[in-house]
Amino acid sequence: MLNYSIYYQKGSSNDMDRSLILQKQLDRYAPICINTELTGVSEADRGALAVLIEAAMVIDEVFYLQVWYGNPALRDWLKEHSDISNLDKLKWMYYSINKSPWSCLDENEAFLTTADSAVKLLEKSTKAVPGWKGLEYKVAFPMIKPPGANFYPTDMDKKEFELWKSSLKDDQQQAATGFFDVIRRHSESILDASIGSETLSSAQQVVGSPHDLYSVPFSLEYKPLLIKAVELLKKAGDLTDTPSLERLLKGKADAFLSNDYYDSDIAWMELDSKLDVTLGPYETYEDTLFGYKATFEAYIGIRDEEATSKIKLFGDHLQVLEQNLPFDDSYKSKDVVAAPIRVMQLIYNAGDVKGPQTVAFNLPNDERIVKERGTSMVMMKNVSEAKFKHILQPIARTCITEEQREYIDFESFFTHTICHECCHGIGPHAITLPSGQKSSVRLELQELHSALEEAKADIVGLWALRFFIKQDLLPKSLLKSMYVSFLAGCFRSIRFGLEEAHGKGQALQFNWLFEKGAFVLHTDGTFSVNFEEIEGAVESLSTEILTIQARGDKAAAKSLLLVYGKMIEPLQVAMDKLETVQVPVDIAPIFNVGEVLRESR
């Protein structure tokens, strides 16, 4: 049964004040047109592209539902009312960026009030009465974003979940903690069935069950939407003339129905196509309760063959990096698989792409595949270029001391992004606990995993670049620029908010390096890199994080993030300066989908 309790948020009743606040929040995103030419794409693949964009729009619908049960109704209500006033327009614009009533850049604080809630008509909520359509409920959102998103019952806590999980068989436990199942209540199912005038016999049989929770696979929970996506993926698979793309699209369609994503993720890793497509449930950032459940996302772009050929170095040296990682050899993997790296020019994204935009991703997250096949990386070069030009360069002019600004360049920024994604594929994943039990870093660190993993990929990526330079695999001229560009990048990521995995992970790194004297604050409020201290500080933090992950030590992870993953005064100095000069926090991509579809025809 959906809970329609009314929640209230502090806020001004003055529309002018609210408009000013929302406009200021919107101004933190620089609207940037993302244009990509379809040069080199076959006529058949152009036809598939148009259908794939339609499929991505369906994926968007699934994601809205995953964030919060009332999200689709609220979205439709805000859109319908967006032309009534300037305030209504601003509400809709900011909601569209966040894809929820909670602001990504403000620690997920609600930016709407109860008055902005949607009205939902429930026709079957009572007995039919002539001339009466049914009950109208206000779908009011909680001021505090539900930590379990829409993956768990809103009133479920960790203790109840763990008690239920301990009663399950091994295969049932895998579903409970796996990526592709939601958790629901038998009692709510009974009530929903009664409202729908359905028979209660089967539901009533579970009333006496000692546990109220049960798992539902994504394939059933989102069945109506996934069936639409399946039809479109199969159609696109029939249209393309690229065999590996056809295999991926039809394999993903099968996975949507079976809830088994293993084969389709292998097909994604083996994709050799001018059209680069990533589509399905992958990241677990929305599940801040445990970090178990995956959200749906879609990225569609054109493979940049020239840029891809230039970065083969990184994928070819993953095992060498693993062997030389700065932590105990007993934790190191002997069979790291070289990760393919693909660079693309993004055409369209959907689903879990809210708020700050990612420039790259490393998938899949399935530990079985990571152990057997490694991972594959996708870099979106046009998104990186937009962020560097509109965000990182203005940050450097504001926060980096004048004599070190010359070291800020796109090559360093993009190269570290590549190394960041590579380093997701090395280090601890599947682990053995001190008790001898087999587990994984994700399962042991739970809700802390995402922030610590992002910090690991960042700091170990910086360590790895230094390693490559020492091995003469990268030019020495990159050394200073990579450290200074990283410093500027710290301020960029921390502005995403400390509730966001990348932002919290970046705060951890900045504060550690600042404490070790690797970053220096000057009297004019600018920062510089201490080149004599930076190498040792990077290595010590890499060792700390890798060891915590290898041991599955959640208590140590919590302590590290508590001590270092916070806003300290020097950081606040930089944040205040950037606020004063109004440097955008991130970009808001504008996709010219109409033009792409016209080209496809």
Side-chain angles (χ1 to χ4, degrees):
M1 175 70 174
L2 299 183
N3 178 5
Y4 289 98
S5 299
I6 301 295
Y7 295 79
Y8 293 91
Q9 179 200 4
K10 65 180 185 294
S12 169
S13 60
N14 186 300
D15 283 1
M16 183 65 73
D17 289 345
R18 290 196 62 199
S19 294
L20 289 172
I21 292 169
L22 278 170
Q23 186 64 61
K24 187 176 181 181
Q25 290 176 308
L26 266 171
D27 288 343
R28 294 177 295 180
Y29 290 93
I32 305 297
C33 288
I34 303 293
N35 295 314
T36 304
E37 295 182 359
L38 302 185
T39 306
V41 180
S42 70
E43 185 176 343
D45 279 357
R46 287 180 183 229
L49 173 60
V51 180
L52 282 171
I53 290 175
E54 289 185 63
M57 292 175 179
V58 177
I59 293 303
D60 217 35
E61 294 291 322
V62 179
F63 176 69
Y64 274 104
L65 188 56
Q66 289 185 301
V67 174
W68 171 57
Y69 67 77
N71 214 21
L74 178 61
R75 175 201 58 196
D76 295 345
W77 188 85
L78 289 170
K79 184 176 182 180
E80 181 183 347
H81 293 77
S82 62
D83 60 353
I84 293 176
S85 69
N86 183 57
L87 175 59
D88 290 301
K89 179 183 178 182
L90 292 172
K91 286 189 293 189
W92 168 242
M93 290 173 66
Y94 198 54
Y95 175 90
S96 298
I97 288 175
N98 292 279
K99 295 192 172 184
S100 81
W102 301 285
S103 175
C104 298
L105 295 179
D106 298 297
E107 316 296 342
N108 287 323
E109 179 181 320
F111 61 88
L112 298 176
T113 69
T114 304
D116 303 316
S117 301
V119 173
K120 185 180 181 71
L121 181 67
L122 298 181
E123 296 178 358
K124 296 182 179 181
S125 59
T126 59
K127 232 174 147 182
V129 176
W132 186 48
K133 293 182 179 179
L135 288 176
E136 284 190 345
Y137 282 85
K138 182 167 277 193
V139 185
F141 49 86
M143 190 169 73
I144 298 175
K145 184 179 181 183
N150 194 22
F151 296 122
Y152 310 91
T154 54
D155 60 347
M156 187 204 78
D157 59 19
K158 286 188 173 185
K159 185 177 180 180
E160 181 186 6
F161 179 88
E162 295 294 351
L163 183 64
W164 167 65
K165 188 185 78 170
S166 66
S167 72
L168 302 175
K169 298 177 181 178
D170 287 347
D171 60 333
Q172 294 172 319
Q173 286 195 15
Q174 289 177 8
T177 61
F179 292 113
F180 314 124
D181 291 76
V182 298
I183 310 302
R184 297 291 179 249
R185 288 196 182 281
H186 287 301
S187 53
E188 290 184 352
S189 299
I190 295 168
L191 200 50
D192 286 342
S194 67
I195 288 175
S197 300
E198 298 172 5
T199 59
L200 299 182
S201 56
S202 61
Q204 286 172 335
Q205 292 173 6
V206 300
V207 172
S209 172
H211 295 286
D212 195 23
L213 304 176
Y214 68 101
S215 298
V216 182
F218 282 3
S219 54
L220 291 179
E221 180 74 8
Y222 311 122
K223 186 174 182 178
L225 289 170
L226 291 182
I227 287 176
K228 292 181 184 179
V230 165
E231 292 171 354
L232 292 166
L233 290 176
K234 287 183 175 179
K235 181 179 178 181
D238 289 335
L239 287 171
T240 180
D241 58 1
T242 305
S244 65
L245 181 58
E246 179 183 3
R247 179 189 167 208
L248 168 64
L249 299 180
K250 293 185 176 180
K252 195 64 69 175
D254 291 340
F256 283 176
L257 297 177
S258 69
N259 218 51
D260 183 353
Y261 288 86
Y262 183 90
D263 290 340
S264 67
D265 279 344
I266 295 295
W268 177 80
M269 295 184 73
E270 296 175 348
L271 180 64
D272 183 16
S273 167
K274 189 67 177 176
L275 275 185
D276 206 300
V277 180
T278 301
L279 192 145
Y282 286 108
E283 304 294 2
T284 61
Y285 301 128
E286 284 296 308
D287 179 6
T288 60
L289 193 64
F290 289 109
Y292 291 157
K293 306 304 177 184
T295 48
F296 280 77
E297 62 187 49
Y299 293 91
I300 301 169
I302 305 297
R303 184 82 59 89
D304 188 326
E305 304 291 358
E306 182 180 356
T308 297
S309 65
K310 288 181 180 178
I311 60 176
K312 192 171 181 292
L313 161 75
F314 297 93
D316 289 347
H317 287 79
L318 282 191
Q319 185 63 64
V320 175
L321 286 177
E322 177 78 21
Q323 291 169 351
N324 287 275
L325 285 173
F327 76 135
D328 195 284
D329 287 346
S330 64
Y331 297 130
K332 296 176 183 177
S333 175
K334 303 295 189 295
D335 54 357
V336 173
V337 181
I341 304 176
R342 315 195 297 247
V343 180
M344 75 169 178
Q345 305 290 342
L346 184 66
I347 291 176
Y348 187 74
N349 66 15
D352 192 359
V353 293
K354 64 185 178 61
Q357 297 291 299
T358 187
V359 297
F361 48 86
N362 183 300
L363 298 172
N365 290 321
D366 187 329
E367 286 90 357
R368 297 172 302 167
I369 299 177
V370 173
K371 185 177 181 180
E372 296 167 10
R373 303 286 298 268
T375 57
S376 190
M377 284 152 274
V378 176
M379 328 290 296
M380 290 167 284
K381 193 172 183 181
N382 52 350
V383 178
S384 292
E385 289 169 336
K387 289 193 179 225
F388 180 79
K389 178 180 178 181
H390 296 281
I391 312 296
L392 199 71
Q393 285 185 321
I395 285 176
R397 289 193 292 268
T398 304
C399 295
I400 304 300
T401 190
E402 186 174 357
E403 56 265 30
Q404 289 195 357
R405 288 175 200 161
E406 64 180 289
Y407 296 122
I408 304 289
D409 60 44
F410 178 70
E411 180 186 1
S412 300
F413 174 66
F414 191 58
T415 302
H416 179 258
T417 303
I418 296 167
C419 226
H420 168 107
E421 296 303 328
C422 281
C423 289
H424 276 305
I426 61 175
H429 287 279
I431 59 175
T432 302
L433 301 177
S435 64
Q437 179 184 347
K438 300 292 184 182
S439 187
S440 69
V441 179
R442 182 180 70 87
L443 284 176
E444 295 306 314
L445 299 191
Q446 296 181 330
E447 76 279 6
L448 306 179
H449 172 256
S450 291
L452 204 66
E453 176 61 23
E454 290 304 327
K456 180 209 81 173
D458 248 354
I459 202 70
V460 174
L462 204 57
W463 169 88
L465 288 178
R466 174 63 174 160
F467 176 84
F468 282 138
I469 291 170
K470 284 182 176 179
Q471 301 297 312
D472 293 324
L473 295 170
L474 287 175
K476 289 182 172 59
S477 59
L478 188 67
L479 189 61
K480 289 185 177 180
S481 62
M482 75 181 191
Y483 287 133
V484 181
S485 295
F486 177 81
L487 172 57
C490 283
F491 303 127
R492 183 183 72 86
S493 295
I494 290 167
R495 296 177 83 205
F496 297 160
L498 299 190
E499 290 299 312
E500 195 270 345
H502 299 79
K504 194 171 191 68
Q506 197 74 69
L508 158 62
Q509 295 168 82
F510 177 91
N511 293 337
W512 180 286
L513 298 178
F514 185 81
E515 180 182 271
K516 305 298 182 187
F519 293 156
V520 179
L521 173 62
H522 300 276
T523 54
D524 64 352
T526 61
F527 292 79
S528 65
V529 174
N530 181 339
F531 295 116
E532 294 182 0
E533 300 293 337
I534 186 74
E535 184 178 346
V538 166
E539 183 162 322
S540 66
L541 180 55
S542 297
T543 302
E544 182 77 12
I545 294 176
L546 289 166
T547 303
I548 288 172
Q549 290 184 321
R551 294 173 177 170
D553 192 341
K554 187 176 181 180
K558 184 175 182 179
S559 176
L560 185 67
L561 287 165
L562 187 66
V563 173
Y564 292 99
K566 61 186 180 182
M567 185 67 68
I568 63 172
E569 186 177 350
L571 263 182
Q572 193 62 57
V573 169
M575 298 299 105
D576 291 344
K577 288 188 70 176
L578 294 171
E579 181 73 17
T580 301
V581 299
Q582 296 185 327
V583 175
V585 176
D586 206 64
I587 65 169
I590 300 170
F591 300 108
N592 197 344
V593 176
E595 183 62 33
V596 170
L597 295 179
R598 280 192 292 274
E599 283 192 59
S600 298
R601 297 189 187 103

